[in-house]
């Protein structure tokens, strides 16, 4: 490792630690960079399920042919009711040109993207369409952030959480009380 000349900072295994507080500055900076990267892609390139009043936001790298993504999608109404905006980034794990990619492009090109997303995630068929889409940009962002599976959730505080979690666990993670008013279990 390396120590700064004034002895305040320690660099070890690529992590910068503040000696006095023991705080990992790399981790907090990384969260900020993750948020900046997600916001740079822009909400207008995402399929958004918005609550009446947004308290928190999660951004989800999703694949329409992923079983756990479909399970997470079933939790969206509960998340919305609790004030959580859910924004989808299109992340076909099979890659560009795959059948999954084509289905996700059809979702993006649909007149009602939310309805198309829900239809496809519940096993339904939608009209096949092509148009300009942000899928390649979303794939690049996911690769940059180290996403290696779906769903992958980015919380609005910059934390990256891999995998499925039920609404109650996500609400707990976000510090939101569940619909019954108690702390989410």
């Amino acid at each position: 490792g390396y120590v700064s000349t004034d002895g305040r900072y320690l660099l070890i295994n690529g992590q910068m630690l503040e000696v006095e507080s023991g705080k990992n500055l790399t981790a907090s900076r990384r969260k900020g960079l993750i948020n900046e990267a997600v916001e740079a892609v822009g909400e207008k390139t995402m399929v958004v399920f918005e609550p009446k009043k947004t308290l928190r936001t999660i951004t989800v790298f999703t694949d329409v042919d992923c079983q756990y993504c479909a399970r997470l999608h079933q939790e969206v109404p509960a998340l919305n009711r609790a004030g959580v905006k859910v924004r989808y980034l299109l992340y076909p794990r099979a890659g560009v040109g795959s059948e999954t990619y084509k289905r996700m492009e059809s979702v993006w090109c649909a007149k009602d993207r939310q309805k198309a997303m829900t239809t496809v995630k519940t096993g339904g068929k939608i009209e096949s369409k092509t148009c300009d889409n942000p899928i390649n940009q979303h794939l690049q962002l996911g690769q940059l952030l180290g996403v290696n599976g779906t769903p992958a959730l980015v919380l609005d505080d910059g934390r990256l959480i891999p995998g499925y979690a039920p609404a109650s666990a996500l609400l707990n993670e976000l510090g939101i009380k569940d619909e019954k008013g108690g702390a989410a279990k």
Side-chain angles (χ1 to χ4, degrees):
Y2 300 93
V3 179
S4 63
T5 52
D6 61 5
R8 285 185 57 201
Y9 303 105
L10 173 65
L11 186 66
I12 188 162
N13 295 334
Q15 305 288 310
M16 183 179 282
L17 307 174
E18 189 174 44
V19 175
E20 199 173 307
S21 68
K23 186 176 179 190
N24 184 333
L25 302 177
T26 307
S28 57
R29 183 68 187 121
R30 180 171 160 75
K31 288 178 184 175
L33 293 170
I34 288 172
N35 258 353
E36 285 172 31
V38 169
E39 293 312 317
V41 168
E43 194 170 282
K44 67 185 181 310
T45 75
M46 304 176 193
V47 180
V48 181
F49 289 79
E50 200 154 1
K52 285 185 182 76
K53 181 175 182 242
T54 301
L55 301 175
R56 299 289 302 268
T57 300
I58 62 172
T59 306
V60 182
F61 286 91
T62 196
D63 180 322
V64 294
D65 292 331
C66 144
Q67 182 183 347
Y68 284 101
C69 297
R71 283 185 57 192
L72 179 64
H73 191 66
Q74 292 169 349
E75 306 284 342
V76 169
L79 291 167
N80 281 173
R81 283 193 300 275
V84 178
K85 181 194 291 187
V86 179
R87 310 186 305 183
Y88 282 121
L89 292 165
L90 308 171
Y91 198 78
R93 294 165 305 167
V96 178
S98 65
E99 285 306 310
T100 302
Y101 182 100
K102 292 172 186 166
R103 267 194 289 287
M104 294 182 87
E105 182 176 29
S106 296
V107 165
W108 180 257
C109 302
K111 204 171 283 152
D112 183 338
R113 292 177 183 147
Q114 288 84 357
K115 185 177 178 204
M117 179 72 80
T118 300
T119 299
V120 171
K121 281 184 179 266
T122 53
K125 301 266 183 267
I126 61 169
E127 187 184 342
S128 187
K129 290 184 171 180
T130 59
C131 65
D132 277 348
N133 66 71
I135 301 172
N136 290 352
Q137 189 183 10
H138 293 179
L139 282 166
Q140 286 171 352
L141 175 64
Q143 288 157 357
L144 177 75
L145 299 182
V147 169
N148 53 19
T150 54
L153 292 69
V154 179
L155 306 187
D156 54 14
D157 62 10
R159 284 181 291 161
L160 183 62
I161 299 178
Y164 164 81
S168 58
L170 289 171
L171 293 174
N172 202 30
E173 199 64 47
L174 293 166
I176 295 177
K177 306 268 184 252
D178 69 13
E179 300 170 301
K180 295 164 207 69
K185 296 284 178 286

